Amino acid sequence: MPSDSRRNAGPENTLQYQLYLKQKKTYEECEKELCDVNNRRKDGRKLTDSRKIYVKTGVVSQAKGSAYIEMKNTKVICSVFDPREIPNKSEFSVNGELYCEFKFATFSCKKRRHFVRDVEEKELSVSLKRALEPAVCRHEFPNFQVDVYVLVLENDGSALAAAITCAGLALADASVPMYDLISASTMGVHGERRLMDPTVEEENVCLTVTPRDSSSQGVVTLAYLSSLKQVTELCQSGLMEVEELQKVAEVLEKQATEVYLVVQQCLAASVKKHFKDRPASANQ
């Protein structure tokens, strides 16, 4: 088998160090650790609290636009490249297209990911594309395609919401015409509990449905255009009643609006820095 110079040489089949730690927890133990008697989660947050967000633009010099988002242990980077002609397209396309690729880094999860995209990554790529398309003025670049690459450096839950927010900021940084900035938020539902911005452990508990569970269980991600008050994507996994889903969507819209303000401030600071760094001759 030929060697790949772009990756570190090492054994193909390895065991995770987590296997040598204490025995894996059962579902009942993980369920009890969701929150304590004071409705405090494992990391000290309340059920309605989200993690602090750090965002930055211009992190990839080779890309036309790029962004980085960090939600505690969830870290995502996105790159957007110049429009190019749509490959293998014989007929003229009135609207431009978005090519979105969602990928987990091999070291981003407890279980090592493969280099080739699996089914989950392909599904997340489709959700990312559906969320971004309504926010982009695709009629401004007919017969052209904009490439959006999202890489999850570390996954600790709410990866899709972080990817959508990061990709929207990267598109704006690349000067791609947009109707509005896009932001996203995630909520985990476990019976009567609603966990805002869940971690990966909380997501696993919310997505595990046992025979004794008759209430709502699942994870919901919503992408939102705050200025236009439009939902671009609603991704739901698990079992949930329609009434419960509507209530969760209303809460996620408010949370996405708060994320929108953070993204807006980051983009405004980036534009100010750009004009400040321009040479004096360019400003005349």
Side-chain angles (χ1 to χ4, degrees):
M1 179 177 178
S3 60
D4 189 349
S5 60
R6 295 172 297 180
R7 56 177 291 191
N8 294 328
E12 292 292 338
N13 299 321
T14 58
L15 297 177
Q16 299 293 324
Y17 70 90
Q18 285 88 358
L19 297 176
Y20 299 97
L21 300 177
K22 60 181 180 180
Q23 191 176 3
K24 292 183 179 180
K25 298 178 182 178
T26 62
Y27 171 76
E28 289 74 14
E29 293 175 341
C30 296
E31 187 180 17
K32 291 179 181 179
E33 292 181 355
L34 275 181
C35 58
D36 55 17
V37 293
N38 298 322
N39 278 335
R40 291 281 182 176
R41 291 148 80 173
K42 194 173 181 180
D43 54 3
R45 290 183 292 156
K46 297 180 181 179
L47 297 180
T48 56
D49 292 345
S50 60
R51 292 171 288 186
K52 294 183 179 180
I53 299 177
Y54 170 78
V55 287
K56 185 179 180 181
T57 58
V59 293
V60 180
S61 59
Q62 293 84 357
K64 179 68 180 299
S66 59
Y68 170 79
I69 185 171
E70 183 173 313
M71 296 158 41
K72 202 170 182 179
N73 289 335
T74 297
K75 303 176 178 64
V76 179
I77 190 170
C78 178
S79 303
V80 176
F81 293 88
D82 290 312
R84 59 187 177 93
E85 289 190 13
I86 302 176
N88 303 324
K89 189 79 170 180
S90 57
E91 57 185 15
F92 183 80
S93 177
V94 178
N95 292 325
E97 293 186 4
L98 291 179
Y99 172 77
C100 299
E101 182 177 296
F102 186 104
K103 187 76 177 71
F104 287 101
T106 55
F107 49 82
S108 61
C109 306
K110 288 186 177 180
K111 183 179 179 181
R112 182 179 175 85
R113 309 292 298 225
H114 294 288
F115 288 93
V116 182
R117 287 192 302 164
D118 54 19
V119 176
E120 180 186 3
E121 292 170 328
K122 292 179 180 178
E123 290 180 354
L124 292 174
S125 299
V126 174
S127 298
L128 177 64
K129 181 178 180 180
R130 287 202 304 255
L132 295 177
E133 279 185 340
V136 178
C137 303
R138 294 189 294 143
H139 63 277
E140 294 288 343
F141 47 94
N143 212 42
F144 278 81
Q145 172 180 290
V146 174
D147 297 331
V148 180
Y149 296 93
V150 171
L151 179 64
V152 179
L153 300 176
E154 186 174 356
N155 179 28
D156 191 27
S158 306
L160 178 59
I164 294 173
T165 304
C166 187
L169 183 58
L171 285 168
D173 183 60
S175 302
V176 175
M178 301 177 67
Y179 295 104
D180 189 15
L181 287 173
I182 186 171
S183 57
S185 55
T186 302
M187 175 176 286
V189 179
H190 185 269
E192 300 296 327
R193 298 169 179 168
R194 298 179 185 174
L195 309 172
M196 180 64 70
D197 189 15
T199 62
V200 67
E201 293 180 358
E202 294 171 344
E203 285 183 346
N204 293 335
V205 175
C206 294
L207 291 174
T208 303
V209 180
T210 59
R212 63 181 177 83
D213 291 329
S214 58
S215 56
S216 299
Q217 298 266 117
V219 176
V220 182
T221 300
L222 181 138
Y224 192 59
L225 302 177
S226 299
S227 298
L228 302 178
K229 299 187 183 303
Q230 293 182 359
V231 176
T232 62
E233 173 68 1
L234 181 63
C235 184
Q236 182 260 333
S237 303
L239 301 176
M240 202 172 300
E241 297 291 338
V242 177
E243 294 77 11
E244 178 70 16
L245 181 60
Q246 291 177 345
K247 295 178 182 178
V248 170
E250 293 176 357
V251 178
L252 289 177
E253 287 180 6
K254 297 179 181 178
Q255 177 62 26
T257 303
E258 296 181 4
V259 178
Y260 172 85
L261 298 176
V262 177
V263 174
Q264 192 179 46
Q265 291 177 0
C266 176
L267 185 61
S270 176
V271 172
K272 290 180 181 178
K273 184 177 182 299
H274 173 73
F275 279 101
K276 186 177 179 181
D277 294 341
R278 289 178 64 185
S281 57
N283 296 327
Q284 294 179 356

